[in-house]
Amino acid sequence: MPGARKRPAATPGGGSSRDASAWDVEEVLQPVKQLRRKMGQAGSSRKQTLEEVGVLGVSKEVKNMPSDDVTAEIERICLDAVGSILRGEGFSYLMPSRVASNQMYVPELDRVVLKDKMLERVFANSSSARKTAITTRVMALVLELCGRGIHVTKRDLFYTDVKLFRQQAESDDVLDDVACMVGCTRSSLHVVAAEKGIVVGRVIFEDDGDTIDCTKMGVGGKAIPPSIDRVTGVRGDAQFILLIEKDAAFMRLAEDRFYNDYPCVIISGKGQPDVATRLFLNKVRSSLNIPILGLFDADPYGLKILSVYMKGSKNMSYDSINLTTPDIKWLGVRPSDLDKYNIPPQCRLEMSEHDIKTGRELLEEEFVKANPEWHKELQLMVKSKVKAEIQALSSFGFQYLSKHFLPRKLMEADWV
């Protein structure tokens, strides 16, 4: 590139000198801009539906519904139950089964979806009577929320009837069943998870009418709003989204103001992402039409978390069309990076038998087989029986991640 500086000389860490100004920003960002142009040439980022692809033997995908439509559908379900009771037939609820055996990966859509097996929850059956009662109670609470036009957390929902629900996991599970039954997204039921994900960087949006500038959120970033339907007007000059697995790496990049040197939006779900973080990522990506680069631990769980963002989780496969964000590039830390960047032996961790078992199970997953580069990296991990966390890069200096590792990764277009 004319006028561009040469890449700084390598150090034992596989990086370069500590002076961040030695990197030419335009040179570093050139591959990212090329990736963005390819996205533009590919056309709309709108996802295909099951109907468009013509996949058979699957459940109908859920959709965002206004409160009036959710109310009408729940009332219809309840009236059917009342009619059944008046006929002396008892009552039951019919819904898509969300068990693992009723899920499948669709290569054409690159996401996990529900198959068409249905589950009947019968009140007169001793094994399902309590679950049926919980389902009825949850629907009554959702009707109240829709009527008032307010949102509550899943924890709030649980505490409305602790004796019936017993554990929050039970009310959470039934909430997903109700969403499946109604045919809407879980957020359409006006129940959200507590704030978990965080964002910082070159993006501005409106949160229920309040303007949020994520360049002015400090080291801690801005908590991602639990009600994504209230997020509007997403805008900014970011060139890419940096998706971070852990909040420790997020804090390092936020404190170093990485997004000022390399215009980007930094998002973290702080481990396994919640629904709001996945929806927010999807909204920012589609609004700005910019690529997403993922920074995750070089272990089986890092790859599993990355796959949740991209392919969907089995627990919420019924809503994969809204919750998945395709084409996330795996930037690092990948198993091949351990030698490439000379990660010292004391920073490499031996994989446990459970780690190895999880890695081998991932190798058999259809979405991993569909990506040869992912498969190759995972094979290397399982064969070497070694893993490493993002924090292993700190052995070369606390700012090595922001000043050297990421700029080099970007400049070399070193993602898969």
Side-chain angles (χ1 to χ4, degrees), residues 46-106:
R46 188 186 72 83
K47 300 170 192 170
Q48 286 186 295
T49 64
L50 288 169
E51 287 93 345
E52 289 170 341
V53 175
V55 179
L56 302 177
V58 292
S59 292
K60 188 176 180 180
E61 290 178 303
V62 301
K63 59 184 180 181
N64 287 304
M65 277 189 186
S67 298
D68 289 347
D69 289 355
V70 172
T71 298
E73 184 60 22
I74 291 179
E75 287 176 345
R76 183 198 63 76
I77 292 169
C78 292
L79 285 173
D80 286 347
V82 170
S84 179
I85 293 169
L86 292 174
R87 291 192 300 272
E89 300 171 357
F91 78 99
S92 63
Y93 298 123
L94 190 65
M95 64 195 73
S97 172
R98 296 189 298 109
V99 297
S101 60
N102 197 41
Q103 298 170 2
M104 64 182 289
Y105 171 72
V106 181

Side-chain angles (χ1 to χ4, degrees), residues 299-300 303 330 335 358-363 368 373-383:
D299 62 27
L303 186 55
W330 187 9
T358 302
R360 287 173 177 160
E361 289 172 350
L362 275 172
L363 282 169
V368 173
E373 292 296 330
W374 280 33
H375 198 269
K376 181 181 176 181
E377 291 284 352
L378 194 53
Q379 275 186 320
L380 175 62
M381 184 193 304
V382 172
K383 183 178 179 180

Side-chain angles (χ1 to χ4, degrees), residues 16-21 23 28 240 242 244 249-259 261-262 266 295 390 393-394 397-410:
S16 59
S17 65
R18 293 195 62 180
D19 184 6
S21 65
W23 297 98
V28 169
F240 62 99
L242 193 56
I244 311 289
F250 178 96
M251 186 190 75
R252 176 76 275 130
L253 295 172
E255 186 174 47
D256 290 346
R257 301 294 194 271
F258 180 80
Y259 52 83
D261 293 328
Y262 307 99
I266 306 173
L295 184 65
I390 300 169
L393 298 169
S394 297
F398 292 120
Q399 293 183 301
Y400 182 82
L401 174 66
S402 59
K403 304 300 183 184
H404 309 293
F405 181 79
L406 288 177
R408 178 179 171 186
K409 278 276 187 179
L410 296 174

Side-chain angles (χ1 to χ4, degrees), residues 1-15:
M1 181 177 178
R5 299 172 189 164
K6 294 181 180 179
R7 197 179 79 204
T11 66

Side-chain angles (χ1 to χ4, degrees), residues 270-301:
K270 295 195 284 188
Q272 192 70 239
D274 61 344
V275 168
T277 302
R278 293 161 66 185
L279 288 173
F280 183 79
L281 176 69
N282 208 350
K283 177 164 281 192
V284 174
R285 190 255 187 187
S286 60
S287 298
L288 302 184
N289 196 30
I290 54 178
I292 305 173
L293 307 176
L295 184 65
F296 293 77
D297 288 340
D299 62 27
Y301 309 104

Side-chain angles (χ1 to χ4, degrees), residues 104-383:
M104 64 182 289
Y105 171 72
V106 181
E108 298 92 336
L109 301 176
D110 196 22
R111 61 178 183 261
V112 179
V113 301
L114 271 186
K115 292 193 283 189
D116 58 1
K117 181 181 178 182
M118 301 297 285
L119 167 70
E120 186 176 18
R121 193 163 285 165
V122 184
F123 183 67
N125 189 318
S126 60
S127 65
S128 59
R130 184 169 160 273
K131 206 73 173 278
T132 308
I134 293 174
T135 305
T136 306
R137 179 66 171 138
V138 168
M139 286 195 292
L141 292 168
V142 170
L143 280 177
E144 181 181 349
L145 294 171
C146 289
R148 293 189 180 188
I150 60 174
H151 293 73
V152 298
T153 66
K154 292 191 294 181
R155 192 67 175 168
D156 289 328
L157 188 80
F158 166 67
Y159 271 106
T160 59
D161 204 331
V162 175
K163 287 187 176 180
L164 175 62
F165 298 146
R166 295 183 186 171
Q167 297 179 350
Q168 186 180 332
E170 295 197 53
S171 56
D172 288 354
D173 188 55
V174 169
L175 189 66
D176 287 324
D177 288 336
V178 171
C180 276
M181 229 184 348
V182 174
C184 68
T185 62
R186 196 176 72 187
S187 56
S188 297
L189 301 179
H190 286 232
V191 183
V192 298
E195 292 179 346
K196 184 187 179 192
I198 44 180
V199 57
V200 74
R202 307 284 272 269
V203 66
I204 300 171
F205 59 89
E206 312 298 323
D207 181 5
D208 202 21
D210 297 324
T211 301
I212 307 297
D213 184 346
C214 291
T215 62
K216 301 175 181 178
M217 292 295 139
V219 176
K222 167 74 173 75
I224 292 174
S227 303
I228 301 301
D229 56 328
R230 297 181 179 180
V231 173
T232 57
V234 179
R235 56 200 184 275
D237 63 351
Q239 292 293 326
F240 62 99
I241 297 169
L242 193 56
L243 182 61
I244 311 289
E245 177 184 352
K246 294 180 174 178
D247 52 345
F250 178 96
M251 186 190 75
R252 176 76 275 130
L253 295 172
E255 186 174 47
D256 290 346
R257 301 294 194 271
F258 180 80
Y259 52 83
N260 283 338
D261 293 328
Y262 307 99
C264 66
V265 180
I266 306 173
I267 295 174
S268 176
K270 295 195 284 188
Q272 192 70 239
D274 61 344
V275 168
T277 302
R278 293 161 66 185
L279 288 173
F280 183 79
L281 176 69
N282 208 350
K283 177 164 281 192
V284 174
R285 190 255 187 187
S286 60
S287 298
L288 302 184
N289 196 30
I290 54 178
I292 305 173
L293 307 176
L295 184 65
F296 293 77
D297 288 340
D299 62 27
Y301 309 104
L303 186 55
K304 283 186 79 170
I305 292 172
L306 175 56
S307 72
V308 167
Y309 283 107
M310 292 183 65
K311 322 294 180 183
S313 63
K314 291 184 176 179
N315 187 47
M316 297 197 69
S317 55
Y318 68 90
D319 194 15
S320 61
I321 188 171
N322 297 296
L323 295 176
T324 55
T325 304
D327 299 328
I328 299 176
K329 303 300 182 184
W330 187 9
L331 189 66
V333 175
R334 303 197 304 273
S336 59
D337 290 335
L338 303 190
D339 287 338
K340 179 177 179 178
Y341 289 86
N342 300 321
I343 303 298
Q346 67 268 24
C347 297
R348 305 186 189 198
L349 305 172
E350 289 187 16
M351 294 174 66
S352 66
E353 288 300 319
H354 183 70
D355 292 337
I356 296 170
K357 180 175 179 290
T358 302
R360 287 173 177 160
E361 289 172 350
L362 275 172
L363 282 169
E364 299 304 315
E365 292 281 0
E366 290 301 320
F367 68 83
V368 173
K369 291 180 178 179
N371 190 321
E373 292 296 330
W374 280 33
H375 198 269
K376 181 181 176 181
E377 291 284 352
L378 194 53
Q379 275 186 320
L380 175 62
M381 184 193 304
V382 172
K383 183 178 179 180

